[in-house]
Amino acid sequence: MMMLSLCIRPGLSGDESAAAEAALFALKEYCPDAHISHGNVIGTFGSTDENAPHVLLDAHLDQVGLIVTSVTDDGFVTVGNVGGLDRRLFPVQRVFIHGKKRIPGIICALPPHLTNGDEKVQKMEEVRIDTGYPADELRELVHPGDSVYFDGTAQELPGGCVTAPALDDRCGIAAILCALDLLQNEEIPCRVTVQFSTEEEVGERGACIGCFAANPDIAIAVDVSFAGDGKRSETGVMGKGAMIGVSPSLSHEVSLKLQSAAESEQIPWQYEVMNGTTGTNADRFSICREGVKACTVSIPLRYMHTPQEVIDPADVELTGKLLAAYLRRCGA
């Protein structure tokens, strides 16, 4: 599965080159002009009419993780977080450090015998990684600023779901590629810039420069959102299709047109209601240059920002169908 092959490529925010090269290879099948610019993977698709509506489709390349801050005198690695992480899951997680070579390690934890079962969540400055190397050897291999990844696995689960690290947001990339595949033999009434952007997890930085350069009329951030039982407006149900964003910070016009496209082609979809900004690249798009009509299309995901995120691949396919349906009607 192409999506899982994307997920196993490391791509910590600011260190996305391996993930970018894999995404570039996949995008070139649909966008021969695809290239990497300032870390972003960029390609163009659709109408060549300069007067046609110009749509930016975006999904981010980067993933959350850790960054080396020091090697202690007793041979442990200290770290800082890159993106939002839940420190409750840290103890005895397997990780690997991208130093001079790939170095496996374990996040340290006291055994329950010594904690009485009431150990508090570690502060980030207390987190240590054990590699087994003595300090002098480790300092030859590992330096401050090196990336640290959780050593998750990518695999299909019984029942059809898949689990992998970095599904946030490699599944968004897969959904955009699915849309391009559906449209590759069609003429569509809009110009499309595809962008797989960097550094979303540390402030949507790649989205900011990419949108400025593309200068679109409309921008859609294809990302993930929280999967739950559907009883809360901010969660979606896995297997029920993409979540179309509705928020004061988003374009109500684009949201309605996405909904209309879904209804016209009988594509299942769900609401994602947000009461302010979205925490996605759409926040950058809406205030780019003189303003861009921005919206979000999100894939329901469980266990966000953990080593083992989970999605239903059917939602990726339905998201791709929704994007294709919208592009067929854009400018109509």
Side-chain angles (χ1 to χ4, degrees):
M1 184 182 290
M2 180 271 296
M3 179 173 60
L4 294 184
S5 68
L6 283 173
C7 287
I8 63 174
R9 296 296 186 102
L12 190 70
S13 299
D15 187 21
E16 299 100 335
S17 58
E21 290 293 340
L24 176 64
F25 179 81
L27 183 59
K28 276 186 173 291
E29 180 176 348
Y30 309 103
C31 305
D33 67 344
H35 62 284
I36 295 176
S37 176
H38 297 285
N40 292 335
V41 178
I42 306 290
T44 59
F45 184 86
S47 174
T48 57
D49 182 356
E50 289 295 320
N51 296 316
H54 183 189
V55 180
L56 175 68
L57 290 183
D58 169 87
H60 68 86
L61 285 162
D62 59 318
Q63 66 192 101
V64 295
L66 300 164
I67 188 169
V68 173
T69 55
S70 73
V71 175
T72 66
D73 290 340
D74 50 357
F76 294 97
V77 177
T78 68
V79 292
N81 65 295
V82 178
L85 293 168
D86 186 347
R87 297 191 308 279
R88 293 176 302 170
L89 59 84
F90 278 20
V92 298
Q93 285 283 349
R94 294 187 303 175
V95 298
F96 59 90
I97 303 168
H98 269 197
K100 287 186 176 180
K101 64 179 183 178
R102 188 178 187 270
I103 300 171
I106 301 290
I107 297 181
C108 303
L110 286 173
H113 314 70
L114 303 179
T115 66
N116 297 319
D118 59 357
E119 186 180 13
K120 295 181 180 179
V121 176
Q122 291 177 313
K123 297 178 181 179
M124 186 57 71
E125 57 267 27
E126 297 172 333
V127 175
R128 299 289 186 273
I129 295 173
D130 185 357
T131 67
Y133 280 104
D136 55 347
E137 291 185 43
L138 191 57
R139 286 185 174 128
E140 293 295 319
L141 299 171
V142 174
H143 300 94
D146 287 343
S147 299
V148 181
Y149 296 86
F150 292 99
D151 192 9
T153 58
Q155 63 185 37
E156 297 185 38
L157 296 175
C161 291
V162 297
T163 180
L167 281 167
D168 175 11
D169 185 31
R170 311 289 166 77
C171 68
I173 293 174
I176 291 175
L177 293 172
C178 178
L180 300 183
D181 190 66
L182 292 170
L183 295 170
Q184 65 177 330
N185 296 318
E186 300 181 29
E187 291 187 8
I188 57 174
C190 58
R191 294 188 292 132
V192 180
T193 295
V194 177
Q195 173 175 280
F196 302 146
S197 54
T198 64
E199 299 184 55
E200 189 268 354
E201 301 291 0
V202 290
E204 302 96 30
R205 296 165 59 83
C208 185
I209 61 173
C211 187
F212 190 94
N215 193 21
D217 305 305
I218 299 161
I220 298 175
V222 185
D223 210 322
V224 298
S225 191
F226 308 107
D229 57 10
K231 294 179 181 178
R232 297 174 60 184
S233 60
E234 67 269 30
T235 67
V237 179
M238 287 171 56
K240 299 293 185 180
M243 301 167 69
I244 298 175
V246 180
S247 166
S249 63
L250 298 177
S251 167
H252 194 55
E253 175 190 341
V254 176
S255 180
L256 288 176
K257 288 184 175 180
L258 283 161
Q259 295 169 36
S260 176
E263 297 293 342
S264 295
E265 298 197 17
Q266 298 182 324
I267 301 166
W269 65 279
Q270 309 173 65
Y271 282 107
E272 181 179 20
V273 181
M274 295 160 280
N275 62 5
T277 54
T278 69
T280 72
N281 283 338
D283 297 336
R284 293 289 185 170
F285 300 152
S286 62
I287 57 173
C288 184
R289 289 183 180 262
E290 296 175 342
V292 175
K293 295 177 182 179
C295 198
T296 59
V297 172
S298 301
I299 297 165
L301 174 142
R302 293 182 185 144
Y303 321 128
M304 190 181 297
H305 286 195
T306 73
Q308 293 296 157
E309 297 170 329
V310 174
I311 63 163
D312 186 336
D315 290 324
V316 177
E317 183 178 351
L318 289 170
T319 301
K321 289 181 177 180
L322 171 62
L323 296 172
Y326 173 79
L327 294 175
R328 289 187 185 105
R329 290 161 178 77
C330 188

